[in-house]
Amino acid sequence: MESTTTSTLDKFGEEDIFSTVLRYGLYVGAIFQLICIGSSIFLPISQETQGNDGEIGEEQKQSTDIINAARRQHKIRKLEKKKRR
């Protein structure tokens, strides 16, 4: 009698191979995400991104300058548009 009771209470039945692979794949994905987050928190900045003095590298300075120039141009255009109104 108890075997019929447990089978009626089990909504999903036995796990098939796809469910098992999916479950373990999700576990592996979660562990990978934790490793990535931990490495971004605990590992130091590599020497490539730092200059000899521990400053930001030249490539990063150039990209920052380009972004700042684009922001300035946008601001100027926005002010000119306001003046026309």
Side-chain angles (χ1 to χ4, degrees):
M1 176 99 182
E2 289 194 26
S3 64
T4 58
T5 307
T6 57
S7 64
T8 57
L9 294 178
D10 189 14
K11 294 181 196 177
F12 304 109
E14 294 181 25
E15 282 191 2
D16 57 346
I17 188 73
F18 180 74
S19 299
T20 306
V21 170
L22 183 64
R23 182 169 38 119
Y24 287 120
L26 289 172
Y27 289 145
V28 169
I31 291 169
F32 178 73
Q33 286 182 354
L34 289 174
I35 290 170
C36 290
I37 291 170
S39 67
S40 67
I41 292 172
F42 296 115
L43 289 180
I45 298 174
S46 68
Q47 293 297 329
E48 292 176 5
T49 57
Q50 290 182 345
N52 293 338
D53 303 338
E55 297 178 4
I56 298 174
E58 282 296 319
E59 292 176 5
Q60 289 181 347
K61 285 182 184 178
Q62 290 175 353
S63 64
T64 305
D65 291 341
I66 292 170
I67 292 170
N68 288 338
R71 285 183 184 161
R72 274 187 251 120
Q73 287 176 352
H74 176 70
K75 192 173 183 179
I76 291 169
R77 274 190 247 133
K78 191 174 177 182
L79 289 174
E80 288 176 356
K81 191 175 180 182
K82 245 185 188 180
K83 288 178 185 177
R84 284 187 231 145
R85 289 184 190 176

